[in-house]
Amino acid sequence: MKRAVVVEAPAKVNLVLRVRGRRADGYHNVDTLFAAVGLGDRLRVERAAAGITVEVTGADLGDPRDNLVYRAARAYLDARGERGGVAIRLEKRIPVGGGLGGGSSDAAATLRCLDELFEPPVGVAALTGMARGLGADVPFFLSPSPLALGGGRGDHLTPLPPLPSRPVLLVGSPEGVGTAWAYGLLARGRGRSVELPSAGQPVPLTPARCRDWPTVAGMAHNDFEAPIFAVRPDLRDTMLSLRDTSPLLALMSGSGSTIFAVYRHEESAARAHRQIQPLHGDGHVHMTTTLSRFPALQPT
């Protein structure tokens, strides 16, 4: 019987994000293109006699019982009627409040680890049902591919063949952006026109248009950029700085505050890193890559 499992929980970026309208349940319908990247948190999940404990290092996330990792473990054990417990160690590396899906990835990783530890496994379909109850982005991290179209709240997924891995520069901000605040800003129409080169026109988002980087770069768009840049000029300035480094594409991820750029070659990404890093200080600029597969579980 396995006693513990370790796994990397990767961040995501949104290569396209369009908000279509508010639903009757209070959420919004979106069209998005998710891509997982190499920057990730690290989880170790171990069986215990009873209860759920969550130890977090690397970030202050408040009461562990409010953490998505705890909620995921609770949902899984309750669904199984399991009396045994788990002890979870979470090492945070993904910036909090940056639109990179760190909490969602951690929750999905927890579900994966638990289904490895407890017999018989409940399987991906049941895990995905639990994931939808935890958050709109959580199901993506259970997808068989690190590239997927998302519809509905973002949880109706179409996995796609991964694109060739490309270097990515992530530029964070000391001040995060709350998702509810961002949606409220968008809904109130407080965005105003900003002087920013176009990131791509809203063309139909279909699997056929997601087969190569040039086509994806032509579609790259995030509806949150205009309203958020209007009140967060620091993020707008970061975007302009990244666009000056000649990337394939540069966008804000999710509802912010991370701005990211995808590059054709490691050399161009490295040059961009040298140019951007002095402007943003230690800890806010991360070099990584897009993923060709999700990290494997590591039983210990």
Side-chain angles (χ1 to χ4, degrees):
M1 178 186 296
K2 301 181 185 74
R3 295 297 306 175
V5 179
V6 175
V7 71
E8 297 287 322
K12 60 82 181 170
V13 293
N14 299 86
L15 300 172
V16 180
L17 179 56
R18 301 171 187 156
V19 182
R20 292 194 283 112
R22 194 174 183 89
R23 298 151 47 113
D25 60 8
Y27 291 96
H28 289 76
N29 285 314
V30 302
D31 292 319
T32 190
L33 177 60
F34 292 111
V37 298
L39 177 66
D41 297 336
R42 184 176 177 84
L43 281 92
R44 185 179 190 276
V45 181
E46 183 177 5
R47 294 187 64 152
I52 300 169
T53 61
V54 179
E55 177 185 343
V56 182
T57 60
D60 182 6
L61 300 180
D63 189 337
R65 291 171 296 182
D66 294 330
N67 192 298
L68 274 173
V69 165
Y70 181 94
R71 291 171 53 197
R74 181 79 279 158
Y76 183 88
L77 295 178
D78 286 351
R80 291 185 66 98
E82 179 62 53
R83 295 182 179 180
V86 291
I88 303 172
R89 296 179 185 175
L90 169 60
E91 181 182 345
K92 287 297 296 180
R93 301 168 184 165
I94 301 171
V96 177
L100 296 173
S104 296
S105 185
D106 296 341
T110 300
L111 294 175
R112 291 179 63 204
C113 289
L114 291 172
D115 215 37
E116 180 76 8
L117 289 174
F118 289 89
E119 296 288 348
V122 302
V124 173
L127 294 182
T128 300
M130 298 176 203
R132 286 197 171 101
L134 295 167
D137 289 349
V138 182
F140 165 66
F141 295 101
L142 296 173
S143 168
S145 174
L147 185 76
L149 291 172
R153 296 190 301 150
D155 58 344
H156 295 166
L157 297 170
T158 303
L160 303 172
L163 295 168
S165 183
R166 291 290 182 266
V168 178
L169 194 61
L170 304 169
V171 184
S173 167
E175 183 183 353
V177 171
T179 301
W181 177 83
Y183 271 102
L185 189 64
L186 187 64
R188 290 193 297 272
R190 288 174 58 189
R192 62 180 183 272
S193 177
V194 293
E195 295 295 328
L196 192 68
S198 173
Q201 298 301 315
V203 297
L205 187 57
T206 64
R209 294 181 180 271
C210 302
R211 293 177 178 173
D212 61 78
W213 278 111
T215 306
V216 169
M219 294 191 300
H221 177 81
N222 185 334
D223 281 349
F224 285 106
E225 286 182 358
I228 289 179
F229 288 170
V231 296
R232 288 288 304 272
D234 59 314
L235 300 182
R236 174 182 175 273
D237 290 346
T238 297
M239 175 70 81
L240 289 170
S241 296
L242 280 176
R243 295 259 177 92
D244 283 343
T245 64
S246 301
L248 270 168
L249 63 92
L251 281 178
M252 184 169 68
S253 186
S255 57
S257 59
T258 300
I259 311 296
F260 73 96
V262 180
Y263 295 86
R264 295 169 180 83
H265 310 290
E266 290 184 8
E267 293 81 2
S268 55
R271 284 196 300 270
H273 183 266
R274 290 192 296 269
Q275 180 177 333
I276 295 295
Q277 198 278 333
L279 304 176
H280 294 275
D282 294 336
H284 298 299
V285 182
H286 302 272
M287 280 283 292
T288 185
T289 63
T290 58
L291 295 180
S292 57
R293 63 178 62 87
F294 279 115
L297 301 175
Q298 304 169 39
T300 64

